[in-house]
Amino acid sequence: MRDYRVLIFDWDGTLVDSIGRIVAAMHLASAVCGLPRLEDEAVKGIIGLALPEAIAQLYPDLDDPLLSERFRLAYSEQYLLLEHEPSPLFPGVAESLEAFRAQGYRLAVATGKSRHGLHRVLEGRGWLDYFDITRCADETASKPHPLMLQEILAHLRLSPGQALMVGDSVFDLQMANNAGMDAVAVGFGAQPLESLRACGPRLAINEFSELRTWLGSGVSARTSEEGVYVG
């Protein structure tokens, strides 16, 4: 098992149970803009991308820049309304992150959220100084481009082999692959493990606490009855 020095987490669908609100906000924004309502699974399939890229993938024929910007603003407004009470952390996240810090891991976030959006939620939790570094899609390249991971590694002066990316979308895992980094797939977020396994993650989990167990075990490969898989 590699000697990981930094654990890099996606935010929505990995640490925070916010996928339902993202889907609802997308549907509300499409209604505001007079665009067709898409299936929930289609919306979940773009979670992880920066918002402009997400809109372009959901509505590839939308070639009106003004309407695209209206959709972006409508989505942001609707999401904020739904987030009047912040989305909760998934079970086991708070305890596991504290344990990781105590064990000496550096912690980072690589997210498709905007800097403004991430700052808002981190401030609400009192976590502005919790992570060693955070990178957002509107200040670097969108996933699955590896730039945000490369920037995190450069800041921490670490190599790809010393880092582990944890995410719930194929974009997270593809980004890790593009950066030459190991990844963990979580099956309780936007996309099912069946899709994520195709990206070759080192570990696939159904509960966040399984990551803590795996990192503490030193075991490089195992299969559980629940279908947890380590490559």
Side-chain angles (χ1 to χ4, degrees):
M1 189 171 183
R2 292 193 184 186
D3 181 21
Y4 301 119
R5 304 296 180 85
V6 59
L7 308 178
I8 307 173
F9 299 95
D10 172 57
W11 186 262
D12 293 301
T14 299
L15 299 181
V16 176
D17 188 3
S18 53
I19 299 303
R21 291 180 181 180
I22 292 173
V23 172
M26 283 290 185
H27 290 329
L28 290 167
S30 66
V32 168
C33 296
L35 294 170
R37 178 188 174 99
L38 303 176
E39 296 293 331
D40 288 0
E41 293 308 310
V43 177
K44 290 179 182 180
I46 55 81
I47 293 175
L49 294 175
L51 188 52
E53 285 79 2
I55 295 170
Q57 186 161 315
L58 286 173
Y59 297 99
D61 296 328
L62 184 59
D63 55 5
D64 183 344
L66 292 178
L67 185 55
S68 295
E69 177 63 9
R70 184 184 174 200
F71 187 98
R72 186 188 69 79
L73 293 173
Y75 167 79
S76 298
E77 179 180 352
Q78 296 299 326
Y79 186 77
L80 282 174
L81 290 173
L82 293 169
E83 274 277 292
H84 63 278
E85 181 177 332
S87 297
L89 297 172
F90 283 109
V93 167
E95 303 89 335
S96 295
L97 293 182
E98 283 299 313
F100 296 148
R101 281 161 56 103
Q103 292 163 8
Y105 287 107
R106 312 290 292 275
L107 302 182
V109 169
T111 177
K113 298 181 84 67
S114 67
R115 172 54 61 185
H116 176 77
L118 183 63
H119 182 92
R120 176 181 57 79
V121 295
L122 289 177
E123 184 176 42
R125 295 188 180 278
W127 278 10
L128 284 177
D129 298 318
Y130 192 88
F131 296 94
D132 292 276
I133 180 175
T134 61
R135 297 301 289 160
C136 299
D138 62 344
E139 60 194 11
T140 184
S142 174
K143 302 171 185 179
H145 195 285
L147 183 58
M148 69 170 71
L149 294 183
Q150 293 166 345
E151 291 170 345
I152 289 170
L153 293 177
H155 175 82
L156 298 176
R157 299 183 179 181
L158 295 174
S159 69
Q162 295 173 302
L164 184 68
M165 176 69 205
V166 184
D168 68 310
S169 78
V170 294
F171 308 116
D172 296 319
L173 305 189
Q174 290 169 351
M175 177 176 66
N177 288 340
N178 291 338
M181 184 182 299
D182 284 349
V184 171
V186 302
F188 44 79
Q191 298 174 18
L193 286 181
E194 290 72 18
S195 299
L196 303 181
R197 283 195 178 103
C199 298
R202 284 275 292 170
L203 173 70
I205 60 177
N206 290 305
E207 296 181 5
F208 194 87
S209 59
E210 293 176 90
L211 173 62
R212 181 178 171 187
T213 301
W214 181 68
L215 287 172
S217 70
V219 177
S220 61
R222 65 186 172 85
T223 303
S224 79
E225 292 180 359
E226 291 77 22
V228 176
Y229 165 82
V230 181

